[in-house]
Amino acid sequence: MPPGEEERELWDVIVVGGGPAGATAAHAAASAGRRVLLLEKAQLPRYKTCGGGIIGPSRDALPPGFLLPLKDRVNAVTFTLGGKFTRTRRSRHTLFGLINRPEFDAALVAEAEKAGARLRTGATVVRVEQHGAAVPDRRTVAVVLSDGETVFGHCVVGADGSASRIGAHVGVELEQVDLGLEVEIPVPPSVAEDWKGRVLLDWGPLPGSYGWVFPKGDTLTVGVISARGQGAATKRYLEDFIARLGLAGFEPAVSSGHLTRCRSAQSPLSRGRVLVCGDAAGLLEPWTREGISFALRSGRLAGEWAVRIAEAQDGVDARRQALNYAFAVKAGLGVEMAVGRRMLTLFERHPGLLHAAITGFRPAWRAFVKITRGSSSLGEMVRSSPAARRALHALDRRQAGRATAQEGAEPAG
């Protein structure tokens, strides 16, 4: 094939972003026999700020036969409230696994390539165009790269992270932005052995904040997260957290930060022949900010519906398929997000209550186990537990009462 000919080809599906969402979307579309181009701006493997927890829903959404590059299997969780009231709960079974994102992402991309997707790294997308002189017809989307090159496809899937250019094109609306800070700390064998198979979750000093320690062989991933706008306080929390754990004497190999962005309930998931998934769509669980399972599940859905959109012969059919994609996302992930928002509100106001419940109330611990292992979800828990429904309904009524009181207190315009 002469140089440059590949770039002039018309692809069925172009996926932007080689993270879990993008790689899974590319795998799904390529497995359906479609011509798929996967664009990634970095060279793989590349570091990503992420705890790297693989819970049951993540495991179940992986491509068939995918072997997880696990660094540890967790069967114990230590909970603390501001560093106090320590309680460790254990399970006879593995709760979840821990991975390093560079290896995990690269392995997912390799699976997409095995399925037939074509990978191009070092390709930074600056915009997409669905109309205008650069677009040959209404069934084609133009993807413009930073070097001026343009590639064409019948459908584009945006999976280019929380600061997504494709998300901006679609018009993704965000209602929650949080700051995560994380360090990777190499530790000696004696320290690593103490943490093996056990993670720590600390309910933090800022509303809605928490910290974590995830062991990965000879390295501990230590991080904290809280609402954006409290950068200095979040940094202090991380520093105090590390010192309290007795890890301040070890030099971090990596220190990083990242903003997580959560969509509003009515935010669009498509525009024309362009879909968004994963972080690009603002899809993550609002309370825990868990995003890998949301990326994998939405990526698979996006890849499946991208195939249908690529096959659509007119705008009406393309729009219908895009709406079906949005419905599938909202019916599953959207329900979990709605419950997660309510749980975050409860957690922000009463972290001690949740700590007491999960460490001292056996049904709450069992619920935690079921969710992490993938045998249930936040949405299913609320549907099946009258007590949980009553608690969240009481919270909703309280919030509605506060909103009414605030409106009544506002002066007339």
Side-chain angles (χ1 to χ4, degrees):
M1 179 181 294
E5 184 173 319
E6 175 190 354
E7 287 74 26
R8 292 194 296 270
E9 293 179 336
L10 179 61
W11 300 87
D12 293 318
V13 178
I14 298 175
V15 180
V16 182
T24 306
H27 181 275
S31 296
R34 300 306 183 268
R35 301 183 66 255
V36 179
L37 177 64
L38 175 59
L39 301 174
E40 165 58 43
K41 67 180 180 180
Q43 298 296 325
L44 299 174
R46 78 288 188 259
Y47 182 80
K48 283 286 185 179
T49 303
C50 180
I54 301 296
I55 60 176
S58 300
R59 178 201 62 227
D60 296 341
L62 292 168
F66 182 83
L67 295 178
L68 278 165
L70 291 178
K71 294 300 181 182
D72 203 348
R73 290 176 170 82
V74 176
N75 55 29
V77 183
T78 297
F79 297 96
T80 58
L81 178 63
K84 302 176 183 178
F85 309 107
T86 304
R87 176 76 185 275
T88 298
R89 303 299 302 257
R90 300 184 182 276
S91 171
R92 292 192 299 272
H93 308 286
T94 297
L95 297 172
F96 55 94
L98 299 173
I99 52 90
N100 282 328
R101 280 290 300 275
E103 298 172 46
F104 179 65
D105 290 12
L108 282 173
V109 168
E111 287 296 315
E113 290 186 281
K114 288 179 187 177
R118 186 73 60 84
L119 171 68
R120 285 188 59 188
T121 57
T124 300
V125 173
V126 295
R127 67 181 184 277
V128 294
E129 298 178 3
Q130 300 193 67
H131 306 285
V135 183
D137 59 64
R138 293 186 178 182
R139 291 191 61 218
T140 303
V141 182
V143 179
V144 182
L145 306 183
S146 60
D147 61 2
E149 178 188 344
T150 301
V151 293
F152 300 96
H154 288 309
C155 181
V156 170
V157 176
D160 49 333
S162 61
S164 169
R165 291 184 183 273
I166 312 301
H169 173 80
V170 167
V172 173
E173 299 171 357
L174 305 168
E175 71 172 14
Q176 177 185 329
V177 182
D178 297 291
L179 171 64
L181 300 177
E182 192 170 74
V183 292
E184 305 285 349
I185 304 178
V187 294
S190 58
V191 176
E193 183 63 27
D194 181 56
W195 284 98
K196 185 176 181 180
R198 178 176 65 93
V199 303
L200 184 145
L201 296 175
D202 175 70
W203 314 127
L206 306 170
S209 68
Y210 73 95
W212 62 88
V213 180
F214 286 179
K216 299 171 185 177
D218 59 359
T219 300
L220 299 179
T221 298
V222 183
V224 300
I225 194 165
S226 67
R228 184 179 65 172
Q230 304 182 84
T234 305
K235 184 178 179 182
R236 283 196 302 272
Y237 176 27
L238 177 61
E239 292 171 348
D240 293 345
F241 186 46
I242 291 172
R244 193 167 65 229
L245 293 167
L247 300 173
F250 302 111
E251 185 68 24
V254 178
S255 180
S256 64
H258 179 67
L259 291 177
T260 64
R261 296 175 168 91
C262 187
R263 68 190 293 271
S264 65
Q266 302 306 315
S267 177
L269 291 165
S270 67
R271 177 181 174 186
R273 290 176 173 268
V274 178
L275 306 178
V276 285
C277 59
D279 286 345
L283 291 167
L284 74 161
E285 199 279 288
W287 175 29
T288 63
R289 290 81 154 186
E290 191 279 320
I292 294 179
S293 77
F294 280 70
L296 293 169
R297 289 182 284 173
S298 65
R300 183 170 64 185
L301 290 172
E304 292 169 353
W305 258 275
V307 169
R308 296 174 172 87
I309 292 173
E311 294 171 345
Q313 296 301 309
D314 55 46
V316 173
D317 190 21
R319 176 61 176 164
R320 182 185 306 114
Q321 300 303 335
L323 288 173
N324 287 338
Y325 165 67
F327 178 80
V329 170
K330 292 175 182 178
L333 301 178
V335 172
E336 294 180 33
M337 291 181 71
V339 176
R341 288 187 185 95
R342 295 156 81 188
M343 290 296 298
L344 176 61
T345 300
L346 180 63
F347 176 56
E348 287 173 336
R349 296 177 182 172
H350 307 289
L353 177 63
L354 284 170
H355 179 72
I358 203 167
T359 59
F361 186 50
R362 188 175 296 274
W365 167 247
R366 285 201 296 262
F368 178 90
V369 170
K370 288 181 179 180
I371 291 170
T372 55
R373 299 193 70 217
S375 59
S376 188
S377 67
L378 276 175
E380 290 170 355
M381 286 292 177
V382 172
R383 284 194 295 268
S384 62
S385 170
R389 285 200 304 274
R390 286 195 297 270
L392 290 181
H393 288 162
L395 176 66
D396 292 340
R397 288 194 297 271
R398 190 175 305 170
Q399 285 183 280
R402 285 198 177 105
T404 301
Q406 289 174 354
E407 290 174 4
E410 292 178 356

